[in-house]
Amino acid sequence: MILSGREILKQLNTNIFIEPFHESRLNPNSYNLTLADELLVYESGELDMKRENPVKRLTIPPEGIVLEPGRLYLGRTAEFTRTENYVPMLDGRSSTGRLGLFIHVTAGFGDVGFAGYWTLEIFCIQPIRIYAGAHV
């Protein structure tokens, strides 16, 4: 069952925790999380599932950063979330999807009791400028 915005608000600080929380980001059946100001990119063109893959840290400046197609970027939400008794779900906004920007390739569901920042698996199909604080 997907909770309505009213139910999310009702469960806030009992079964659902979002820090920081802004009521203006509450939608009819979701809450808009935002992109933090840092990305990780893999340094190698070939990744190895059995090894640690080195990453480079990028800071998103106020004027944004242009993402390159064919490259995976790892971001995170600016919000720390925790859920009790609910399975949290992350799904991209349709407005970002229409720009060819995908914020998670897999792992759209969290676990009951999940507490932390969401990792965003960011991929684009054409160059796109993104900004810290953008709704994901």
Side-chain angles (χ1 to χ4, degrees), residues 32 37 39 51 54 67 96 106 108 110 112 119:
N32 289 330
D37 67 351
L39 298 171
R51 293 196 169 139
L67 303 184
T96 58
T106 62
V112 172
T119 298

Side-chain angles (χ1 to χ4, degrees), residues 7-133:
E7 190 62 26
I8 292 169
L9 193 56
K10 184 176 164 186
Q11 296 295 324
L12 196 64
N13 300 319
T14 56
N15 286 304
I16 298 172
F17 302 84
I18 303 170
E19 289 295 328
F21 177 82
H22 300 281
E23 195 165 343
S24 63
R25 295 184 187 159
L26 195 60
N27 292 320
N29 64 345
S30 65
Y31 181 82
N32 289 330
L33 299 174
T34 60
L35 178 63
D37 67 351
E38 197 171 77
L39 298 171
L40 299 177
V41 291
Y42 290 106
E43 292 180 343
S44 174
E46 180 180 313
L47 303 178
D48 189 328
M49 292 179 76
K50 290 187 176 186
R51 293 196 169 139
E52 180 96 15
N53 293 286
V55 294
K56 180 170 80 171
R57 197 172 299 273
L58 304 174
T59 300
I60 303 172
E63 65 273 11
I65 190 170
V66 176
L67 303 184
E68 303 168 19
R71 186 164 206 185
L72 180 65
Y73 298 84
L74 299 178
R76 73 166 178 86
T77 60
E79 295 79 14
F80 181 92
T81 67
R82 180 168 61 103
T83 59
E84 300 294 333
N85 304 310
Y86 294 110
V87 173
M89 184 177 116
L90 178 70
D91 202 4
R93 293 172 49 94
S94 60
S95 57
T96 58
R98 285 191 295 273
L99 295 173
L101 180 65
F102 307 101
I103 59 121
H104 73 89
V105 180
T106 62
F109 290 93
D111 295 320
V112 172
F114 169 78
Y117 298 92
W118 286 83
T119 298
L120 305 172
E121 303 147 348
I122 302 169
F123 183 81
C124 61
I125 59 169
Q126 64 188 54
I128 183 169
R129 183 174 299 273
I130 64 165
Y131 302 87

